[in-house]
Amino acid sequence: MLYVQETLDRQTGLLATNTIGEYVTVTELGDNYRVGPKRVRVILHHMGVLAAEGRRYRLPRAFVERGLGFRHDNPRSKHPFDVLSPKCQALIAEAWDDTVADLDSETAPTMHRAKAALDAFRSTRRRELTTQEAVCWLCDHHPSLLHRQIADILGVTPQLVSKFTKLRAKQRQIDIARKAQLEQRDVVLTMTTSLLRSSRNDHHGRAPREHSV
């Protein structure tokens, strides 16, 4: 996205528009390097470009002041995001290959441990796990693994891993909704039973009326 900057010309009193360059979102940068949204953020965090803020990786405000990009904290989409300046993109390009290699060397032991744990679990079962079951098992027991890493462990494509993780998330939402419905039904049944008991107790506790002749 092409960004411009408007400055006031004090002599004419008019706004002058100056082009400051082509900015890209973090996800768009990942597309340029053919990596997914999660992977590019992990790489940029390892590089030091992004910092952890809650559950997100964001461009630090100090970097904004240095001209490395802009933060959009309250966009209309309600999902905060950052854009990276041409200067920042150039710095990333210089460090990209070394950062990826360093990150992969650090994550290799994690992948080996995950694969060993999966093989141990498989050995206890009477039948072989399906690919979908293996994906779900790795997601449950090793949530820090990226789709690409799970794909490498299982010898499948990242797209297939992504498909199964989406199905897993959808099934979990269905299970959560079903559990909430059952809990709500139990509450209603408990309240109904309590009201019926209370009504019976009131009925039996009433004294008989005396009838005058």
Side-chain angles (χ1 to χ4, degrees):
M1 182 181 296
L2 188 64
Y3 271 60
V4 297
Q5 188 175 39
E6 293 183 338
T7 56
L8 179 64
D9 189 328
R10 297 185 180 278
Q11 293 182 349
T12 64
L14 300 176
L15 287 175
T17 302
N18 300 312
T19 300
I20 58 175
E22 191 76 25
Y23 284 60
V24 297
T25 66
V26 175
T27 299
E28 289 171 343
L29 180 81
D31 292 340
N32 294 339
Y33 287 95
R34 297 183 178 180
V35 297
K38 184 176 180 180
R39 172 70 171 168
V40 68
R41 284 165 173 79
V42 170
I43 293 171
L44 294 184
H45 176 254
H46 193 73
M47 191 183 295
V49 174
L50 301 182
E53 291 186 13
R55 296 184 177 182
R56 300 176 182 271
Y57 288 137
R58 300 294 309 278
L59 185 69
R61 288 179 173 80
F63 286 3
V64 174
E65 296 174 0
R66 290 167 54 184
L68 297 183
F70 294 116
R71 292 168 58 102
H72 294 276
D73 295 322
N74 298 293
R76 292 182 179 179
S77 65
K78 297 182 179 180
H79 297 289
F81 68 96
D82 307 311
V83 291
L84 308 175
S85 70
K87 176 183 176 182
C88 185
Q89 295 171 53
L91 294 173
I92 290 171
E94 292 178 6
W96 183 269
D97 290 340
D98 289 340
T99 303
V100 171
D102 185 58
L103 184 61
D104 286 344
S105 67
E106 289 186 4
T107 56
T110 301
M111 292 177 62
H112 289 318
R113 286 194 296 270
K115 186 178 185 305
L118 177 62
D119 290 341
F121 176 69
R122 279 172 165 166
S123 67
T124 64
R125 295 178 57 84
R126 293 183 178 179
R127 65 171 181 84
E128 179 60 29
L129 290 176
T130 65
T131 301
Q132 183 175 359
E133 289 172 339
V135 169
C136 292
W137 190 92
L138 286 171
C139 288
D140 289 338
H141 294 84
H142 299 273
S144 63
L145 289 175
L146 301 175
H147 289 182
R148 178 183 60 81
Q149 294 170 327
I150 294 175
D152 289 344
I153 291 172
L154 300 178
V156 298
T157 64
Q159 290 79 6
L160 185 62
V161 173
S162 179
K163 174 185 175 182
F164 287 146
T165 53
K166 288 178 181 178
L167 289 173
R168 170 176 170 268
K170 184 177 180 180
Q171 184 60 50
R172 286 197 165 188
Q173 289 177 350
I174 293 173
D175 292 341
I176 290 172
R178 186 177 299 165
K179 182 179 179 181
Q181 289 178 348
L182 291 174
E183 289 177 350
Q184 186 176 11
R185 187 190 67 177
D186 290 341
V187 170
V188 172
L189 287 174
T190 301
M191 292 179 62
T192 303
T193 302
S194 177
L195 288 172
L196 287 174
R197 287 177 178 174
S198 177
S199 177
R200 289 173 183 173
N201 290 337
D202 289 345
H203 177 73
H204 291 301
R206 291 175 184 172
R209 295 181 180 179
E210 297 180 358
H211 297 278
S212 59
V213 179

